Amino acid sequence: MDRYQNLIGGQWCDGSSGQEVPNIDPADTRRQLGSVVFADASDVDRAVEAAAKAFKSWRQVPAPQRGRMMFKVLELFEAEADAFARALTAEEGKIFAESQGECRKTAILIEYLAGEGRRFGGRTAPSELSSTFAYTAREPLGVVGLITPWNFPIAIPFWKLVPALVAGNTAVLKPSELTPDTACRIARIFEQAGVPAGVVNLVHGGREVGERLVGHPQVPAISFTGSTEVGSRVYAAAALQLKRVQCEMGGKNPILLLDDADLELAVDATVKGAFGATGQRCTATSRAIVVESLADAFVESLAERARAFRPGPGMDPASQSGPLVSGGQLERVLQMIEVGKGEAQLVAGGKRFNDAEREHGFFIEPAVFDRVSPNARIGQEEVFGPVLCVQRVRDLDEALQVANGVRFGLSSSVYTRDLALAQRFIDGIETGIVHVNSPTMGGEAQLPFGGCKATGVGPREMGPQALEFFSREKAVYVDYTGARRSSNIY
Ligand code: NAD
């Protein structure tokens, strides 16, 4: 059995809380993968101290060299990708093909972000003063706190760590308490790549550890991904100390089907988006907003696909999705299904599996609700499980009204062959990511990733501006004659 430790100033160590927590396989809860002794506030303080010490020399390493080190991280990660994918399937539950997909995606984004080391710079500007060279310099912030969820426990820590480090910061990573194994593997990759001790620190734990990191006076910036509930607490606590914050949070992502939609393609996209990864992607499809003319055929076809969909253990190639990640998540999803039953028509699934292969795991049947009204809780709240709400509408205008009538705004999709309608959708939809004729999920490294409204605050992650959050711009005026008596013109 594995023992997962914290990494503080280059030393692997148990947490000081004395609280030992088992890491359980969500596909079979009889199987314990390992255990972790959680950190406490004193460990967070030591990790921040180590990161602050390491910052002094890490910030002096030229950015292209820091980027080069990230290419070494990429090389080592790719060599270990198979082991990472296995560990991910074991502790988070997603099927092996999805874990491999997460690893492929991770490699691409490390590659993209590592290259930023050669582009990390400011800009020049014309000065109103003669003999004056005016420019901006980019500089790192110091120790950044990175708080991550369990649903992409490889991709998300990497997509925060790499830009943070390329920009010259040092980091304290607090991963989800449900995925300590993948987090340790990530920290080890940075160690093996020759990143100096103290530049990447890892502390395991839950709320207490996260709160200390957010509240630590020596941490000027927090990058958080997780639920809107926790993110809003993080945002508020950080604001009290005027910290820089980036929060990427929950979603309720709609797929729209207009009259001329290719039904087969749209059903396929909905199945993948709603039930793939057990509905536990932040970009998962959770609402299908369908014009009346297609609604009956859509619901019939979708319900059939939902009934045939086969969740199962992640290493079984016949499984199409894994279990929910934890008992807590199972309970929440089942509770929301009960709520939904009182508000709409459940046309498929919604029960826990109790056959011999799945009774010891957190498996549920993919669920489809029809005729979900815009204000129903099941249509408003993030369920984060394989549950799809169908909402019937007259036309694009009503579809947009329903689609935008939630507090979230991460991702969306429209199925139509009419370019004018597609463009009206793109203009009117309140989400940070928009797809036309493709599923709601996913995102590419070279484009910004994130949402609006209660989904996202602060600068977007990834894309060309990925290092913006992790650095600040300094305006510099150099009088290169050194002879002017006063440069103060205002
Ligand atoms: P969560 O909010 O429960 O936890 C996220 C992290 O915050 C964990 O590491 C947790 O230990 C920590 N935490 C908990 N309480 C804290 C506190 N008071 N202060 C500081 N940290 C605290 O989320 P989760 O269940 O791990 O992940 C699922 C959620 O993440 C979903 O809502 C999903 O939509 C969201 N998510 C969003 C994106 C995105 O980019 N928008 C991506 C992935 C996941």
Side-chain angles (χ1 to χ4, degrees):
M1 243 195 336
D2 289 332
R3 190 170 185 84
Y4 319 108
Q5 291 188 303
N6 304 294
L7 178 62
I8 298 177
Q11 300 294 317
W12 287 94
C13 52
D14 277 342
S16 308
S17 73
Q19 187 190 354
E20 183 157 354
V21 179
N23 189 19
I24 302 290
D25 177 354
D28 184 345
T29 55
R30 295 167 300 182
R31 192 169 155 239
Q32 184 177 340
L33 307 165
S35 68
V36 54
V37 180
F38 276 179
D40 67 8
S42 73
D43 298 314
V44 176
D45 291 355
R46 285 196 301 121
V48 173
E49 217 171 282
K53 193 164 160 233
F55 177 64
K56 293 193 183 100
S57 42
W58 181 246
R59 70 171 303 179
Q60 303 299 338
V61 177
Q65 273 186 44
R66 295 193 298 251
R68 245 188 121 68
M69 241 182 253
M70 297 306 116
F71 281 112
K72 184 72 188 164
V73 164
L74 171 62
E75 187 189 316
L76 293 166
F77 173 72
E78 284 189 307
E80 295 259 324
D82 202 62
F84 263 91
R86 276 170 206 283
L88 173 54
T89 291
E91 71 180 357
E92 197 268 356
K94 64 178 71 172
I95 56 171
F96 190 55
E98 288 168 344
S99 296
Q100 288 176 307
E102 180 170 340
C103 289
R104 274 196 301 279
K105 165 87 190 264
T106 302
I108 290 167
L109 60 91
I110 300 173
E111 179 186 54
Y112 177 79
L113 294 164
E116 290 298 311
R118 294 203 172 269
R119 289 183 286 270
F120 184 62
R123 61 201 159 89
T124 59
S127 172
E128 293 174 6
L129 300 166
S130 61
S131 317
T132 296
F133 176 40
Y135 70 100
T136 68
R138 282 223 158 258
E139 54 183 30
L141 306 172
V143 180
V144 295
L146 310 177
I147 301 178
T148 54
W150 46 263
N151 69 328
F152 282 94
I154 299 174
I156 295 177
F158 272 116
W159 91 42
K160 293 185 191 296
L161 278 166
V162 174
L165 267 53
V166 169
N169 304 283
T170 54
V172 177
L173 169 66
K174 196 219 81 67
S176 166
E177 52 274 49
L178 294 175
T179 49
D181 186 3
T182 42
C184 288
R185 288 169 192 266
I186 292 168
R188 241 176 266 130
I189 291 280
F190 284 91
E191 259 192 324
Q192 287 163 9
V195 171
V199 172
V200 172
N201 302 275
L202 168 67
V203 284
H204 295 285
R207 182 175 172 163
E208 184 201 342
V209 172
E211 281 178 351
R212 179 58 188 160
L213 189 55
V214 173
H216 199 293
Q218 267 182 286
V219 177
I222 296 288
S223 179
F224 168 90
T225 301
S227 62
T228 296
E229 191 197 350
V230 173
S232 52
R233 276 207 292 274
V234 167
Y235 194 29
L240 287 176
Q241 292 184 35
L242 304 174
K243 294 187 182 198
R244 189 180 279 219
V245 187
Q246 174 180 60
C247 288
E248 282 305 333
M249 302 167 282
K252 192 75 185 169
N253 311 303
I255 187 168
L256 267 64
L257 272 73
L258 303 183
D259 291 295
D260 66 339
D262 182 322
L263 190 64
E264 205 180 311
L265 277 187
V267 168
D268 202 55
T270 308
V271 169
K272 288 193 178 112
F275 309 142
T278 325
Q280 298 180 133
R281 288 188 180 101
C282 49
T283 53
T285 311
S286 56
R287 295 179 294 153
I289 302 175
V290 189
V291 288
E292 278 291 355
S293 61
L294 292 179
D296 286 344
F298 176 79
V299 170
E300 193 182 318
S301 172
L302 189 71
E304 202 177 298
R305 293 279 299 270
R307 288 184 206 107
F309 200 86
R310 195 185 176 290
M315 294 310 291
D316 178 348
S319 301
Q320 289 175 284
S321 72
L324 290 161
V325 71
S326 66
Q329 198 59 22
L330 175 75
E331 215 170 282
R332 260 193 299 280
V333 173
L334 289 175
Q335 250 173 31
M336 279 308 292
I337 290 173
E338 282 311 306
V339 169
K341 282 186 192 166
E343 299 176 315
Q345 290 175 15
L346 180 66
V347 293
K351 290 202 292 290
R352 187 175 179 176
F353 283 105
N354 57 11
D355 52 274
E357 194 192 14
R358 291 174 285 197
E359 64 177 338
H360 296 291
F362 304 123
F363 293 99
I364 69 161
E365 300 168 354
V368 179
F369 283 98
D370 191 11
R371 300 184 186 277
V372 176
S373 77
N375 296 326
R377 274 185 65 196
I378 193 82
Q380 285 284 334
E381 296 176 24
E382 183 181 53
V383 177
F384 224 52
V387 177
L388 183 85
C389 297
V390 179
Q391 300 181 301
R392 296 171 178 237
V393 292
R394 279 186 311 278
D395 53 18
L396 175 60
D397 286 336
E398 191 184 356
L400 274 171
Q401 204 179 330
V402 172
N404 290 335
V406 297
R407 65 185 184 129
F408 303 107
L410 182 56
S411 174
S412 60
S413 165
V414 67
Y415 274 73
T416 178
R417 297 188 188 92
D418 184 327
L419 206 54
L421 289 179
Q423 191 56 51
R424 271 181 57 207
F425 171 77
I426 295 166
D427 290 345
I429 192 73
E430 295 166 356
T431 58
I433 304 166
V434 185
H435 295 270
V436 177
N437 296 320
S438 58
T440 58
M441 71 256 201
E444 296 191 23
Q446 58 279 14
L447 275 82
F449 184 88
C452 38
K453 303 203 286 192
T455 294
V457 293
R460 294 277 153 86
E461 301 192 83
M462 294 203 278
Q465 74 298 326
L467 271 60
E468 223 175 86
F469 175 77
F470 291 108
S471 60
R472 61 185 166 222
E473 228 178 354
K474 193 176 251 173
V476 184
Y477 303 88
V478 180
D479 172 359
Y480 50 79
T481 63
R484 197 169 40 236
R485 288 190 178 277
S486 165
S487 65
N488 191 356
I489 55 173
Y490 298 115

